[in-house]
Amino acid sequence: MSKSSSPMVIEITVISAENLMITRRQPVKKNAFIVVKSDPFNSQSTGTDPDGGSYPAWNEKLIMELPVHVRFITVEAHSGSKVIGTASIPVSDFAGGHLPENYLSFLSYRLRDGNGDKNGIVNLSVKVKGTGNNGCAASCSQPWMGVPADNKVSGGVVMGIPVPYT
Amino acid sequence: MGNCFSDVKGGQQAIGGSVRAGGGGHGGSAASGPNDAVDYFFRAKGEHALFMPIELSLSASKLRDRDITSKSDPMAVIFTKRRNGKLEEIGRTEVIMNSLDPSWIQKINVTYQFEIVQHLVFQVYDVDTKYHNLPVKMLNLEDQDFLGEASCVVSEIVTKRERSLTLNLHSRGRPGFKHLGTLTVRAEEPVASRNTVEITFRCSALENKDLLSKSDPFLRISRTVETGGSVPICKTEVVNNNLNPIWKPVQLTMQQFVSKENPLVIECFDFNDSGNHQLIGKLQKSVAELETLYQSKSGAKFISPSSGFRRHEKVLKSQIIVEVYVEKQLYSFLDYISSGFELNFMVAVDFTDRCFPAWGFGGRTPDCSVSHCFNLNGSPSEFEVEGVDGMMAAYTSALHNVALAGPTLFGQVINKAADIARGSVSCNYAKYYILLIITDGVVTDLQETMDSVVRASDLPLSILIVGVGNANFKEMEILDADNGRRLESSTGRIATRDIVQFVPMREVHGGEISVVRALLEELPSQFLSYVRSKDIKPLNMS
């Protein structure tokens, strides 16, 4: 169906984070940094921000390769040795279908700590640099809807979305 | 006592010079120092005074000859037409002697507001020789010879590519009768408003002014004026509990600092809830000196002014460092639309004869299912209608064929609009979409709507919602995000920018502000926040 040989290269600019707390009451004092993972073994991290406190800013570009099967990338906020917040970014939010190559997407996500509680927001921008095939890798999930085939005959309308054929 | 109720959070906001990711900039309308306070006052009350100052230059040709021995000595006057029809003068040119094709030098300042219709009336007079030594302001128009009149709307001038409009002059009140010559109006934005400088400040080793915790510092930047005092032009946000703060970037326009050599006073205060902020230190640097500081990567020491028993100023260990210094050209909203950017309306009162998409939501179609996004013209595949008439015809026929049904769901319509906007991004960048939703019910799929809005927040799309009727629209105001709380979707994604503007019709009915005006007010800043973040320049601009 679609050529799935070469991985997608993305350029992530980790811009900033907001309202990071170490514990419920204690805001992050300094040296927060972000780690971006495409899978448990491949990660890249930003430098630390010594002054930003709980509103750190990095504006740092990270280049990552995403293998074709990857559907999410994980963003972790760290303070010292502790992971204080995580967010999962679906690849479909910045790559896929209609978005052209080199389109700069600005995205923001809610970070949640180990207990699932909210812990701030991370702001970043993503640009897909090259995919090897028209931006429509098998990993980009386009929504499709189906009508369940019941015994009842309903005169409803089914919306089908063509799957890209290369 | 008043301090108990003061808006501490509001007091901690940056004013005047900050670049906000969500709200966009002023659109090149950088007012001079005193206007920032007025501007902020209006914005804190929810009225967005986004205006763009423009200068009009006038010229005329083939004017009628009124004088016997020589040619006419023309002068032009510009009026605005108020709602009640009365004319109010806003400026006049100088008198040019002896010419039927004058090009006046004196420019007249007008503020262009996107969201209202501004009617201008131009009148040309022949000034009698006996008045030639009087300053133009003192001339009484009734004593002069009337040469002709023309009128137009400000947006007609600024949306032309050359920003220049030529009108035929006619006699008072009888347009199109006698040909009395032509008048050409050209609009220009004051050039200075485009040059800006974006600076990120950082401080080190600030003194601790608070008792139990550290200082909460913020900077205030003022421009020195000729009379000796200084006028504040911006302040940063407050960084809590930090003696080595770094603030968000501050954007200063040329109109604010006037020239790079003009000395600016930079003061660092410790924020106090009581409003009595303590001065930590101050210093004086011009923009050019700040640029040098940045290039040499050095800091400048603060000075503690003389106080108490100490009669001399003390040089402190605290320093200010320029982390980032960038000079930028800030294109204004006018630059984009006059260069050819298209604003595409989906369901709107559009007076040109064009096709545009129209959908209905919350209706039960003939096959008995309730649809939350059906083509208004009844066609299963085509969603376009032609012009306003087509829109009305489609709505009427839909009313006959579709039964009104609840609930009010917006998610699908927004998704459809977002798909269209997303599709256009791959072809060319010069289109921006606006979705107008008219509803009389409170949205019942708030989370889905929020999800759709968040998904669309990075696209060239603005959503304008008008609430009609008596429903309680409190929940809808969450969508508008005007209080700064960014929308959050159920998947954890947060809106990149605020793309919704919600106006309940009831609130504006009978007031001075029309619904259209209230709706359109945020549009230029939403548009600019999009194009600036993607670094999209006006068409044909290198």
Side-chain angles (χ1 to χ4, degrees):
Chain A
M1 202 166 34
S2 38
K3 291 186 274 238
S4 49
S5 39
S6 38
M8 192 176 357
V9 176
I10 56 173
E11 186 183 274
I12 306 179
T13 305
V14 181
I15 303 176
S16 64
E18 298 173 29
N19 215 5
L20 298 179
M21 310 287 263
I22 298 186
T23 64
R24 262 261 155 110
R25 301 206 180 182
Q26 242 190 326
V28 165
K29 296 234 172 98
K30 57 179 181 169
N31 290 335
F33 62 97
I34 296 281
V35 176
V36 182
K37 294 186 174 170
S38 57
D39 62 47
F41 310 108
N42 285 312
S43 66
Q44 298 217 16
S45 73
T46 64
T48 59
D49 178 2
D51 308 306
S54 55
Y55 285 76
W58 302 275
N59 287 306
E60 203 173 312
K61 274 203 185 95
L62 304 174
I63 312 248
M64 302 192 75
E65 268 188 11
L66 295 188
V68 157
H69 63 272
V70 164
R71 297 176 141 244
F72 289 96
I73 58 176
T74 313
V75 173
E76 292 174 347
H78 291 245
S79 172
S81 54
K82 194 172 162 202
V83 178
I84 52 175
T86 325
S88 280
I89 303 178
V91 169
S92 56
D93 274 0
F94 53 83
H98 300 276
L99 293 178
E101 259 183 38
N102 287 314
Y103 180 76
L104 188 62
S105 298
F106 281 84
L107 307 167
S108 299
Y109 292 89
R110 162 72 59 204
L111 293 162
R112 287 186 183 264
D113 64 17
N115 296 328
D117 294 324
K118 294 186 183 182
N119 191 7
I121 293 176
V122 64
N123 301 309
L124 31 86
S125 68
V126 186
K127 200 192 261 202
V128 176
K129 289 293 246 189
T131 56
N133 51 340
N134 254 342
C136 259
S139 62
C140 65
S141 44
Q142 289 189 343
W144 56 277
M145 290 179 249
V147 173
D150 261 342
N151 282 335
K152 287 181 270 178
V153 177
S154 59
V157 174
V158 177
M159 196 181 311
I161 300 194
V163 174
Y165 175 75
T166 46
Chain B
M1 192 56 182
N3 286 333
C4 298
F5 304 109
S6 62
D7 174 17
V8 174
K9 193 136 194 262
Q12 292 197 345
Q13 301 289 320
I15 299 178
S18 62
V19 178
R20 285 182 300 271
H26 284 259
S29 77
S32 56
N35 280 343
D36 273 345
V38 174
D39 215 15
Y40 186 72
F41 172 78
F42 281 118
R43 245 178 299 124
K45 306 270 174 283
E47 286 176 43
H48 299 260
L50 183 73
F51 57 89
M52 284 153 253
I54 52 176
E55 288 175 341
L56 297 179
S57 2
L58 302 173
S59 61
S61 73
K62 300 208 182 71
L63 290 177
R64 272 213 316 181
D65 208 339
R66 285 295 216 147
D67 290 349
I68 305 171
T69 48
S70 62
K71 302 204 186 96
S72 303
D73 306 309
M75 172 187 78
V77 186
I78 306 188
F79 302 84
T80 55
K81 202 191 259 190
R82 294 232 148 272
R83 262 194 175 193
N84 52 11
K86 283 214 173 107
L87 294 181
E88 185 181 298
E89 183 178 325
I90 48 176
R92 41 177 84 170
T93 63
E94 76 278 18
V95 180
I96 293 196
M97 313 281 261
N98 213 13
S99 165
L100 297 179
D101 299 287
S103 269
W104 290 281
I105 297 175
Q106 175 68 43
K107 296 194 215 246
I108 294 160
N109 292 316
V110 165
T111 54
Y112 168 54
Q113 284 177 272
F114 173 79
E115 69 276 7
I116 57 176
V117 179
Q118 296 165 289
H119 291 282
L120 293 180
V121 173
F122 305 89
Q123 290 180 347
V124 184
Y125 289 90
D126 172 26
V127 177
D128 205 301
T129 15
K130 67 173 183 255
Y131 296 117
H132 281 180
N133 285 324
L134 276 186
V136 172
K137 271 192 292 213
M138 304 198 24
L139 295 173
N140 200 337
L141 295 178
E142 272 118 40
D143 299 332
Q144 316 306 330
D145 285 328
F146 178 75
L147 288 181
E149 178 180 283
S151 60
C152 74
V153 167
V154 176
S155 53
E156 280 182 80
I157 311 173
V158 296
T159 49
K160 284 242 166 12
R161 173 145 292 209
E162 312 293 318
R163 300 221 204 138
S164 168
L165 184 66
T166 301
L167 303 160
N168 286 327
L169 290 165
H170 52 78
S171 353
R172 253 191 268 257
R174 275 185 304 175
F177 235 38
K178 272 205 278 193
H179 200 56
L180 298 174
T182 62
L183 178 76
T184 303
V185 190
R186 182 179 308 113
E188 270 174 320
E189 273 185 289
V191 176
S193 66
R194 276 204 202 81
N195 295 329
T196 67
V197 104
E198 194 176 289
I199 305 180
T200 305
F201 285 108
R202 181 163 68 86
C203 283
S204 67
L206 289 178
E207 267 181 30
N208 203 351
K209 294 283 184 188
D210 284 347
L211 207 49
L212 296 172
S213 62
K214 300 194 194 127
S215 299
D216 307 310
F218 68 95
L219 293 176
R220 185 175 75 180
I221 304 179
S222 312
R223 176 180 79 228
T224 51
V225 288
E226 283 152 3
T227 50
S230 62
V231 168
I233 53 177
C234 83
K235 81 173 173 67
T236 63
E237 78 280 14
V238 176
V239 174
N240 284 320
N241 210 16
N242 197 328
L243 297 180
N244 296 292
I246 183 169
W247 291 276
K248 298 201 180 111
V250 152
Q251 194 169 65
L252 299 173
T253 64
M254 195 122 197
Q255 275 192 338
Q256 287 173 306
F257 59 82
V258 178
S259 93
K260 281 176 78 170
E261 277 66 42
N262 204 11
L264 297 177
V265 175
I266 304 176
E267 295 161 298
C268 185
F269 289 93
D270 169 35
F271 181 85
N272 278 319
D273 290 347
S274 65
N276 196 4
H277 314 304
Q278 276 189 291
L279 181 66
I280 299 176
K282 71 180 196 182
L283 50 83
Q284 195 164 294
K285 288 271 174 246
S286 67
V287 173
E289 288 171 322
L290 291 174
E291 186 179 6
T292 317
L293 269 189
Y294 167 69
Q295 282 160 349
S296 61
K297 297 208 184 300
S298 54
K301 294 204 167 65
F302 276 107
I303 297 176
S304 173
S306 48
S307 67
F309 297 118
R310 183 164 43 86
R311 261 181 282 142
H312 302 292
E313 294 182 336
K314 188 171 91 168
V315 174
L316 302 169
K317 286 211 193 78
S318 320
Q319 287 198 16
I320 189 167
I321 299 127
V322 179
E323 274 291 295
V324 180
Y325 175 96
V326 180
E327 283 183 21
K328 279 187 181 173
Q329 285 272 47
L330 213 61
Y331 295 110
S332 72
F333 186 63
L334 287 181
D335 287 329
Y336 287 95
I337 55 173
S338 66
S339 77
F341 252 78
E342 281 179 41
L343 297 183
N344 289 287
F345 279 93
M346 294 181 273
V347 185
V349 182
D350 186 17
F351 290 100
T352 64
D353 195 18
R354 275 180 55 211
C355 295
F356 48 86
W359 301 288
F361 57 89
R364 187 170 282 119
T365 50
D367 63 359
C368 293
S369 58
V370 177
S371 167
H372 299 292
C373 182
F374 58 90
N375 301 326
L376 199 62
N377 58 15
S379 150
S381 52
E382 292 296 314
F383 47 69
E384 287 191 338
V385 296
E386 201 169 320
V388 179
D389 293 337
M391 173 79 219
M392 296 309 293
Y395 190 60
T396 315
S397 104
L399 276 179
H400 284 133
N401 299 325
V402 176
L404 301 174
T408 305
L409 302 181
F410 286 163
Q412 297 191 23
V413 180
I414 295 178
N415 286 339
K416 190 51 107 29
D419 286 341
I420 294 184
R422 196 179 290 119
S424 89
V425 162
S426 40
C427 321
N428 71 65
Y429 283 111
K431 287 196 186 202
Y432 192 84
Y433 292 85
I434 299 156
L435 172 67
L436 175 69
I437 300 180
I438 303 174
T439 179
D440 74 341
V442 176
V443 62
T444 48
D445 63 338
L446 187 61
Q447 188 58 62
E448 263 104 4
T449 302
M450 291 201 320
D451 287 358
S452 300
V453 172
V454 169
R455 270 199 302 270
S457 63
D458 195 39
L459 294 172
L461 175 68
S462 279
I463 302 175
L464 311 180
I465 309 179
V466 183
V468 297
N470 292 321
N472 178 358
F473 291 111
K474 200 80 184 103
E475 273 212 330
M476 310 282 267
E477 286 167 24
I478 300 177
L479 292 175
D480 203 336
D482 270 350
N483 57 1
R485 296 205 61 183
R486 294 160 77 179
L487 283 184
E488 188 165 336
S489 81
S490 53
T491 61
R493 186 173 156 191
I494 303 223
T496 307
R497 59 193 238 281
D498 166 23
I499 62 171
V500 177
Q501 170 73 329
F502 171 71
V503 178
M505 192 128 173
R506 191 182 53 229
E507 261 176 33
V508 293
H509 221 57
E512 260 295 309
I513 308 173
S514 74
V515 176
V516 178
R517 176 179 177 174
L519 267 185
L520 295 179
E521 261 172 345
E522 270 186 24
L523 195 64
S525 58
Q526 285 180 1
F527 172 85
L528 284 170
S529 75
Y530 177 79
V531 291
R532 285 190 185 146
S533 69
K534 304 264 186 285
D535 209 23
I536 297 172
K537 299 199 173 30
L539 297 174
N540 305 323
M541 207 72 81
S542 52

